[in-house]
Amino acid sequence: MQIQRDMATHGEKDVDRIEPFWWGLFAAGGGIAAMFAPMQILLQDLLGNAGVPVATSSYRRARRLAANPLVRMYLFALTSLSLVHWAHRFRYYVMDLGVTGARRQIALVCYGTAIAGSLDAARIVLRLPGRAR
Amino acid sequence: MASGESITLTATRYSPEADVEPWLQSYVIPYREDMVVLDALNYIKSYVDGTLSFRWSCRMGICGSCGMTVNGTPTLTCASFLRDFFPGEIVVEPLANFPLVRDLVIDMSDFMHKLGMVKPWIIRDRDKPVTEGEYRQTPAQLEEYQQYSQCINCMLCYAACPVYAMEPEFLGPAAIALGRRYNLDSRDEGALDRLKVLATSDGIWDCTFVGECSVVCPKNVDPAKAIQQTKVDTTIDWYKQHLLPWMRR
């Protein structure tokens, strides 16, 4: 039980200029991960493998679908925003676990991982052939 | 009506002049099923041990003075019935996350300071002359902020907040909810002024959305919602400012 506590109070601080940017991507990532990731897994992995004739039931059909620029943009958004969502949530989980120091470094590792994963996703999506073979 | 039964209430004792650290003292008192924990404390104060110190005032969930930790949960002792614990023991401790003054009394200076930081009053660029009449509000405009105006400053949300426990600089649930209450008020013009306090790394962005503040709130103020909504508004403003500067409010 605390008898004394260093009550730092809330000092005058500048408005956080960068946090809304990350939080916006986090919120968008949460929405897209919650809505589209389960649908993607259901269509691509479960139904397709169960023999249901969905658009992704064969590699050839999936490739044909991925030739569409809109589908590529969707695949990139699904991957990158989900990664940013993870990064932001994980950064706060670390704080909830009691790690209060090294905030800048933790943020760097979390968002850095998401950015690296997003760049890799962009590379893969861009290298997909434009026309199904 | 006396039932002849008794209950054990254990309370934190601490006297800064005599004790190095707090300790627990148990009291066996008569049990009645219509008694609340605050009644039990007052019984001890009146008939068993007059040295026990605790804050209270209205006994009806309005003043917010009698918040304490009852069996590990921050709660208003005037709204916590003995029958919910009987025949088990009741342990009453001071609210967590605040410095201890004596027994069950905590130092609320930090909370009071933070309440003032959010300027919890109507701010106007220019006050209307009295001759122009009152500031009128529709029921819908009242509805916008009414939920957040129910706060009784009991500080249970601060005692329950794990972020405030780790980081005393955090502005905290009640202060942010109160700031939002005035930002949503149609008569108020101080939102930008308050954002300088709310939209900082020690303000809304410190919250990790654990949500315990809303769980323990005795008035259903839902401070976690206030914080999340302020995050959404601030984020939309940021993206408007940077991506659609001509659409900025």
Side-chain angles (χ1 to χ4, degrees), chain A residues 42-91:
Chain A
L42 180 75
L43 288 172
Q44 184 179 320
D45 300 330
L46 300 178
L47 293 181
N49 286 334
V52 179
V54 291
T56 54
S57 58
S58 73
Y59 180 75
R60 192 178 172 79
R61 295 180 76 173
R63 260 288 165 85
R64 196 180 304 145
L65 198 63
N68 187 322
L70 285 176
V71 174
R72 293 185 197 204
M73 282 169 66
Y74 156 74
L75 288 172
F76 175 71
L78 178 69
T79 314
S80 59
L81 289 175
S82 298
L83 278 169
V84 175
H85 181 80
W86 162 82
H88 192 81
R89 191 68 258 174
F90 189 74
R91 176 184 155 211

Side-chain angles (χ1 to χ4, degrees), chain A residues 1-3 5-10 13-17 19-21 23-25 89 92 95-96 98 100 103, chain B residues 14 20 22 97 99-100 110 113 117 164-169 197 199-200 202 205-206 208 232 235 238-239:
Chain A
M1 192 176 299
Q2 290 171 319
I3 304 170
R5 188 178 188 201
D6 181 21
M7 304 310 278
T9 75
H10 184 97
K13 283 208 173 179
D14 289 336
V15 168
D16 200 316
R17 302 279 175 203
E19 197 67 36
F21 167 73
W23 199 83
L25 293 180
R89 191 68 258 174
Y92 278 104
M95 282 164 61
D96 283 340
T100 53
R103 281 191 170 197
Chain B
Y14 173 70
V20 177
N97 303 337
L100 188 55
D110 185 57
H113 171 73
M117 294 280 298
Y164 186 60
M166 284 192 295
E167 299 178 30
E169 313 84 38
V197 180
T200 63
D202 287 342
W205 301 117
D206 222 3
T208 61
V232 171
T235 300
W238 190 94
Y239 277 91

Side-chain angles (χ1 to χ4, degrees), chain B residues 46-62:
Chain B
S46 299
Y47 300 108
V48 184
D49 183 351
T51 67
L52 184 65
S53 298
F54 51 94
R55 281 199 186 96
W56 66 285
S57 182
C58 76
R59 300 190 300 173
M60 48 195 266
I62 298 295

Side-chain angles (χ1 to χ4, degrees), chain B residues 41 132 229 231 245:
Chain B
L41 291 171
E132 288 183 25
Q229 286 181 336
K231 282 182 181 178

Side-chain angles (χ1 to χ4, degrees), chain B residues 151-186:
Chain B
C151 176
I152 56 173
N153 302 332
C154 64
M155 296 172 285
L156 300 191
C157 53
Y158 283 72
C161 176
V163 176
Y164 186 60
M166 284 192 295
E167 299 178 30
E169 313 84 38
F170 178 39
L171 188 55
I176 296 175
L178 194 61
R180 184 152 186 88
R181 173 250 174 276
Y182 282 94
N183 282 353
L184 291 175
D185 194 316
S186 59

